[in-house]
Amino acid sequence: MGKLIIGLGTGRCGTLSLAHLLCDQPGITMLHEGGIDDTTKRPLKWTGDHDNLLAWIGELRSRYGSGEYFGDIGMYYLPYVEFLLGEVPECRFICLERPREHMVASYLKKTENFNHWYEHDGGVWQKNPFWDASFPKFPEPDKARALGLYWDAYHAEIERLVAQYPRHVACFQTEVLNSSAGMNAILDFMGYSGPRHIAASYAFNQKRSRLGQCISKLALQAMDIAMAVGKPLLPQPLRHFLWTRFASTIHERLLHKTPIHPYRRDELDTVPNE
């Protein structure tokens, strides 16, 4: 049977791009919130949905478990990480994290008439029975502030889980999708050993000076070469340790400028609720 992979992230942080990246690798089947398109979304409730979760994992396994890896990506899996580890000990969790201010701004634009992060009566904000239950609620009527609290809570929980379960839970800045080194780091964490298709179409679009772009591009190419050279020489646990301790920090500083769209470039006008 295949190994279960669950993707995490607040949403609006590149998880759809992650799904496409993983699906492009032979032997991996990865859904995004139950499906790649909006018509087949299957969100879980943020709390108390353990039975539906197990039923859904069973359905995923029966449909896609014959491959090497299979799974789903959704922000609402975060509260169930430890529960799933108890049920499926071989499970791996991959989280993408986008800078706080960019996530808040993206959600404000995407959910203009809705507020999934505050209990309300439908007066100021529209009710959304499909998504409201999939997010935590905060005692903050200001939507932007509530979104900030959501990012803070998600970040804190991910940090705790990574510290407690480093072999099972990893968090990557969204900008890792900008280079082969970053994408290889994700696949290395999974233990994926098949042929790798890491096309540039998953890259973050960024606004920078031409000089800054050239410097960053050269530095990233050098890092990619170093990672490629080290792959046949170093065992996967050591490569992952070096990435999490050193390379990811350099990578983030090179790329963490002004990310705009964490999606594939051909989907900028039709992105689903990521």
Side-chain angles (χ1 to χ4, degrees):
M1 298 295 288
K3 180 183 291 185
L4 177 64
I5 303 295
I6 295 294
L8 305 168
T10 58
R12 313 309 296 169
C13 61
T15 51
L16 182 61
S17 294
L18 175 63
H20 283 292
L21 166 65
L22 296 181
C23 283
D24 281 351
Q25 314 310 313
I28 301 179
T29 300
M30 203 74 183
L31 302 183
H32 183 264
E33 296 172 354
I36 295 298
D37 58 84
D38 280 330
T39 61
T40 56
K41 299 292 185 182
R42 294 185 58 168
L44 297 170
K45 295 178 181 178
W46 186 260
T47 60
D49 218 5
H50 298 77
D51 290 343
N52 284 333
L53 170 61
L54 290 179
W56 175 233
I57 296 301
E59 185 173 340
L60 285 173
R61 190 179 295 278
S62 65
R63 288 186 180 186
Y64 310 113
S66 59
E68 187 179 357
Y69 296 89
F70 71 98
D72 192 15
I73 301 174
M75 62 279 174
Y76 40 74
Y77 285 109
L78 180 67
Y80 302 101
V81 168
E82 291 177 307
F83 171 75
L84 269 178
L85 283 175
E87 298 291 327
V88 190
E90 76 277 8
C91 185
R92 295 293 183 270
F93 298 86
I94 301 169
C95 181
L96 287 185
E97 184 174 271
R98 190 180 184 184
R100 187 181 194 267
E101 64 274 19
H102 297 297
M103 185 223 74
V104 171
S106 183
Y107 261 126
L108 289 175
K109 183 177 179 180
K110 178 68 178 181
T111 62
E112 184 177 359
N113 299 316
F114 303 97
N115 188 346
H116 309 309
W117 303 271
Y118 179 68
E119 291 287 0
H120 58 86
D121 60 7
V124 176
W125 308 101
Q126 295 181 29
K127 291 281 190 179
N128 188 322
F130 193 74
W131 287 110
D132 282 349
S134 298
F135 291 90
K137 303 298 183 285
F138 300 91
E140 174 53 71
D142 183 279
K143 184 177 176 181
R145 292 179 180 175
L147 277 164
L149 294 174
Y150 170 54
W151 190 97
D152 294 341
Y154 213 104
H155 174 78
E157 179 63 2
I158 280 294
E159 279 200 326
R160 183 188 73 82
L161 291 168
V162 168
Q164 189 164 349
Y165 308 100
R167 291 182 57 253
H168 296 272
V169 186
C171 186
F172 301 89
Q173 295 300 307
T174 302
E175 294 89 340
V176 300
L177 299 176
N178 279 354
S179 79
S180 59
M183 291 182 278
N184 275 322
I186 292 175
L187 296 171
D188 282 347
F189 172 74
M190 292 170 51
Y192 179 74
S193 59
R196 300 188 177 189
H197 301 157
I198 44 179
S201 58
Y202 308 107
F204 233 47
N205 291 323
Q206 302 174 78
K207 290 182 178 178
R208 295 198 181 169
S209 69
R210 183 165 296 180
L211 177 61
Q213 290 177 354
C214 291
I215 293 173
S216 294
K217 184 176 181 180
L218 290 173
L220 288 169
Q221 287 176 345
M223 183 182 295
D224 286 348
I225 292 171
M227 297 286 283
V229 171
K231 186 175 180 180
L233 301 176
L234 303 175
Q236 188 274 332
L238 178 57
R239 295 199 310 272
H240 182 65
F241 172 81
L242 292 174
W243 172 266
T244 56
R245 289 294 186 272
F246 304 107
S248 63
T249 301
I250 300 172
H251 196 275
E252 180 181 356
R253 288 179 179 177
L254 289 170
L255 298 172
H256 192 206
K257 297 297 182 181
T258 312
I260 302 172
H261 296 294
Y263 314 110
R264 291 172 58 151
R265 293 186 181 118
D266 57 349
E267 297 170 349
L268 295 183
D269 296 327
T270 58
V271 294
N273 184 34
E274 190 171 333

